[in-house]
Amino acid sequence: MLHIVACIKQVPDTKIAKINPKTGTLDRASAPAILNPYDAHAVEEAVRLKRRYGGTVSVLTMGPPPAVKAIRRCIEIGADEGYMITDRAFAGADTLATSYALSMALQKIAKIRPIDLIICGKMTIDGDTGQVGPGIARRLDIPPLTSVQKVVEINKEEGYAIVHRKREDGYEVVRATLPCLLAVEKEINEVPRSPLPNVIRAARYQPTIWSADDLEGIDRSQLGLKGSPTIVAKVWVPPKPQGGTLLEGTPQQQVDQLVSLVMEKAAELFRDKEVAG
Ligand SMILES: Cc1cc2nc3c(=O)[nH]c(=O)nc-3n(C[C@H](O)[C@H](O)[C@H](O)COP(=O)(O)OP(=O)(O)OC[C@H]3O[C@@H](n4cnc5c(N)ncnc54)[C@H](O)[C@@H]3O)c2cc1C
């Protein structure tokens, strides 16, 4: 029986959220908060593995109290237990401080039920760094497997996991010892519509909530803004590309169009040179 913990984050829906033109930062109030889409795939994969091998799926988030909504969404997907760490001491955390706080919470969860596998999303849609998963693995001294597009096997008895890691030219097959941490790609699965009993359970679900003081042995200097060496010098929206030609049709038609555009441009340059000379 496996114990899988998915780390999940509530994020503003960046498809709707606006950038404050003065500060260049994301106006979090301008969009509804949702479960980070990559994390929905992480939870779905955990639930599928539970179906395959048996066990328990827990989810963990660090966030403000309203993030309980994201935990409820995970219960809808099929998670069994939810844990939230929330405290003013965590505010302003960068990825270093976030991975520290989460690793301390994971150690506390492991005392309740030993953890075989931790699953994260590839990245969040607001922070976008993809650093938290590997950061947690480093702190817990377990193998991080990033860019996971398929879980081939989890063998608890023999203590290993085999996954496919996405590469530009295909995928690589990697075997790691358990416990390990997976950061999953969106294409790992489709998140189906949640079954009604899960939705009903989720509506009333209350996660276990811990403050910083509940995490035994925590070093407060590594939490929140105090524990965050990252300095964000500037945030800006890249300008939209101007002009250009949109190539359409089949890949072959697009290649043909591109070749004739390059030929035209070359002929133009050649003519200009001749005129100048
Ligand atoms: C100086 C500074 C101050 C900041 N202050 C704040 C702040 O006050 N509030 C704020 O929301 N952000 C703040 N941030 C942003 C914060 O660093 C990131 O939101 C956070 O560390 C996660 O990084 P990320 O979003 O890039 O996650 P990624 O590394 O892209 O996430 C990868 C995966 O890690 C897991 N994960 C990430 N974050 C969490 C989480 N919180 N709980 C559980 N699992 C998680 C998920 O599985 C996710 O898919 C601040 C950043 C800096 C640099």
Side-chain angles (χ1 to χ4, degrees):
M1 300 282 253
L2 293 173
H3 183 205
I4 309 166
V5 182
C7 294
I8 61 114
K9 185 184 176 192
Q10 191 178 50
V11 295
D13 189 344
T14 47
K15 276 198 238 110
I16 302 171
K18 296 188 179 71
I19 300 283
N20 181 327
K22 278 192 197 134
T23 59
T25 54
L26 197 66
D27 179 2
R28 288 171 186 270
S30 67
I34 57 167
L35 171 65
N36 178 41
Y38 287 92
D39 300 350
H41 294 279
V43 177
E44 173 65 20
E45 196 57 27
V47 171
R48 288 178 188 213
L49 291 171
K50 177 181 85 167
R51 264 187 231 126
R52 235 160 102 186
Y53 298 107
T56 306
V57 173
S58 303
V59 296
L60 166 66
T61 194
M62 179 182 99
V68 73
K69 207 176 137 210
I71 291 187
R72 292 202 175 112
R73 174 72 193 111
C74 299
I75 300 290
E76 285 180 2
I77 296 172
D80 303 293
E81 306 288 347
Y83 296 87
M84 175 155 90
I85 55 168
T86 187
D87 198 303
R88 291 179 76 94
F90 300 136
D94 68 1
T95 56
L96 196 72
T98 302
S99 59
Y100 173 66
L102 290 173
S103 67
M104 294 301 287
L106 285 160
Q107 288 176 64
K108 188 168 169 97
I109 294 172
K111 282 189 191 147
I112 301 168
R113 187 181 281 130
I115 299 170
D116 302 293
L117 192 66
I118 300 169
I119 310 189
C120 289
K122 173 191 177 165
M123 62 183 198
T124 61
I125 58 166
D126 62 340
D128 243 29
T129 68
Q131 293 174 355
V132 170
I136 293 171
R138 178 72 189 85
R139 289 177 182 284
L140 297 179
D141 200 18
I142 60 173
L145 300 176
T146 52
S147 310
V148 173
Q149 61 178 26
K150 183 176 175 180
V151 179
V152 180
E153 187 187 354
I154 304 290
N155 191 323
K156 181 166 171 157
E157 287 64 44
E158 295 185 28
Y160 66 82
I162 299 177
V163 303
H164 289 181
R165 289 191 66 230
K166 186 174 169 180
R167 286 171 50 120
E168 265 179 29
D169 54 351
Y171 63 85
E172 61 185 16
V173 184
V174 181
R175 179 182 155 134
T177 50
L178 292 179
C180 64
L181 181 142
L182 315 182
V184 300
E185 298 282 330
K186 268 185 177 174
E187 60 258 41
I188 193 162
N189 57 44
E190 292 274 322
V191 183
R193 190 185 282 266
S194 301
L196 188 61
N198 289 10
V199 176
I200 294 169
R201 178 168 180 253
R204 289 185 234 133
Y205 186 77
Q206 288 300 339
T208 302
I209 297 177
W210 292 324
S211 68
D213 284 339
D214 292 320
L215 304 177
E216 293 88 20
I218 196 124
D219 171 7
R220 281 183 170 263
S221 71
Q222 292 191 54
L223 296 179
L225 206 52
K226 248 194 283 175
S228 299
T230 315
I231 296 167
V232 182
K234 192 180 169 194
V235 180
W236 75 97
V237 184
K240 286 207 174 111
Q242 300 291 318
T245 307
L246 190 66
L247 303 180
E248 284 175 289
T250 63
Q252 187 55 54
Q253 286 166 333
Q254 291 182 34
V255 169
D256 293 344
Q257 286 172 52
L258 186 63
V259 170
S260 57
L261 280 170
V262 170
M263 299 290 277
E264 267 172 40
K265 198 82 195 159
E268 230 173 73
L269 285 172
F270 191 65
R271 265 198 312 272
D272 290 351
K273 264 200 178 153
E274 267 191 340
V275 171

